[in-house]
Amino acid sequence: MPGQDRLKRDIIDRGLCSSCGMCVGLCPYIKTAGDMVRVINPCGLAEGACYSVCPKVSLDLREMDLAVFGREREDQALGVVREIYFARAGENRAAKAQYGGVASALAAFALKEGMVTGMALAGGGVLCPRPVLARTVDEVNGCAGSKYTAVPSLAVLNRALREGMSGLGLVGRPCQIAAARKAQAGNLAGDQFSNPQAVGMALGLFCFWSLSPDFYRFAFRRVKGEEMVRMDIPLEGPVVETNSGNCRWQLEEIRPFIKKPCSLCFDSTSEWADLSVGSTEFDPSWNTLIVRSDKGRELVDLALRRGAIEIAQYPEERLPLLRRAALNKKMRVLGLPEFEDGKPGFPVVGRYREQIEAQWGGVNQ
Ligand SMILES: Cc1cc2nc3c(=O)[nH]c(=O)nc-3n(C[C@H](O)[C@H](O)[C@H](O)COP(=O)(O)OP(=O)(O)OC[C@H]3O[C@@H](n4cnc5c(N)ncnc54)[C@H](O)[C@@H]3O)c2cc1C
């Protein structure tokens, strides 16, 4: 696998970096500035883990399914799915939680039960998010709430591993889950770089795109300098809450702020996570929860028994809507004129297009 030089040339300089942060903690010469990942000095090495863990290169969908779950997906839209629920936090819901608070509740619970030693999260405020390695329930709860910029929160993961911690967890966007899985599985990252201890628990978020920080400069003018305390992107359009009210936009107005790597991303539901958490697009006090792995199932079962979360049946009529949203994103990427299988910025899709068409008849069905 190539190294830092190619990472810079193929990904960073072409604006394809999704700011997951995975390469940052690996290398002293790669740093973050806000949501940007930058090479500050050449390392001089021909090969490097920074390239092999990048989710924007050589991300082979079939290989990932096999490495993470030991089997290929049956559902071409959502990936490997064991169960799907509506879920919400139990009585200790984080005050700042975005929706049902399931991501924070499960992260806090995994930490409390000793299933992980720390959780890589995105903390800070909406306007100035930052990577945090949370080691207590209070620290997890302090990170609750969605920050719609691409916080490179994995920067803290490798740093902690280098400092001797193991069995860490993360809550992350789909690109972050992919990066962490690549780092974990030797056959994906090149044996010399693999670290099976890298991920003790991967809690993935649904994410269709993140925004460049320019959005906040734009929003700041619209809210006339008031503090932005929360942001959400419901179907009616993006909304920012300030202490004196809400400011709402049409989706089209904020489209120019969507980051380029997000427009090229194939995965909107964190397909390689142990558990994926998203909105319900229906009831903001609940989340959608997808159980994907044995480890995820174990965490959910224990959390249910101890009252950390509760679940309800996923309404059958909503499943086609979720699948269509995920499929449309995939088909958009496959339909881009610049799409080339496995080219930097795009995943290795192999027979995916035919599989999608065979299963769902393509998009807009
Ligand atoms: C950029 C972005 C886009 C999203 N787009 C969608 C979407 O289109 N559809 C949908 O259903 N859901 C989307 N989500 C997920 C949604 O906003 C909630 O995070 C999710 O439903 C969990 O809700 P919760 O109440 O359990 O979260 P909480 O309990 O509040 O926990 C949120 C967790 O997310 C982490 N986090 C916050 N911001 C970031 C970030 N930028 N990068 C990495 N981790 C972060 C925090 O550390 C925290 O652990 C998106 C999230 C992000 C960050």
Side-chain angles (χ1 to χ4, degrees), residues 22 53 154 157 170 175-185 198-199 202:
M22 194 66 184
V53 297
L154 295 189
L157 193 77
L170 73 143
C175 54
Q176 297 183 300
I177 301 297
R181 291 304 196 193
K182 284 183 88 183
Q184 189 179 24
V199 185

Side-chain angles (χ1 to χ4, degrees), residues 98-99 101-104 122 143 145-147 149 173 206 208 278-279 287:
Q98 187 70 13
Y99 302 122
V102 168
S104 298
C143 292
S146 299
K147 293 90 190 172
T149 46
R173 291 169 280 121
F206 290 9
F208 284 75
S279 73
N287 289 105

Side-chain angles (χ1 to χ4, degrees), residues 64-121:
M64 288 287 283
D65 282 354
L66 293 174
V68 177
F69 304 111
R71 64 187 168 102
E72 286 186 60
R73 63 188 58 198
E74 292 91 35
D75 187 327
Q76 303 303 333
L78 299 177
V80 171
V81 175
R82 287 180 56 149
E83 292 91 23
I84 179 162
Y85 303 107
F86 272 5
R88 64 181 175 192
E91 55 190 32
N92 294 324
R93 178 179 179 276
K96 292 196 301 176
Q98 187 70 13
Y99 302 122
V102 168
S104 298
L106 289 174
F109 185 75
L111 207 51
K112 213 166 91 183
E113 292 297 315
M115 295 166 99
V116 293
T117 53
M119 291 293 296
L121 304 175

Side-chain angles (χ1 to χ4, degrees), residues 12 22 45 78 80 84 114 141 164 170 182 187 192 201 224 234 241 267 286 303 311 322 358 361:
I12 299 176
M22 194 66 184
L45 300 174
L78 299 177
V80 171
I84 179 162
N141 290 343
L170 73 143
K182 284 183 88 183
N187 56 338
Q192 70 274 37
M201 185 66 70
K224 300 191 172 56
E241 289 176 25
D267 175 6
W286 289 81
I311 55 172
L322 179 60

Side-chain angles (χ1 to χ4, degrees), residues 296-318:
R297 183 72 253 176
E298 200 187 315
L299 175 59
V300 167
D301 284 345
L302 202 57
L304 282 170
R305 278 206 297 279
R306 307 271 166 83
I309 62 165
E310 57 179 292
I311 55 172
Q313 195 177 358
Y314 192 83
E316 217 172 287
E317 69 279 7
R318 298 208 65 82

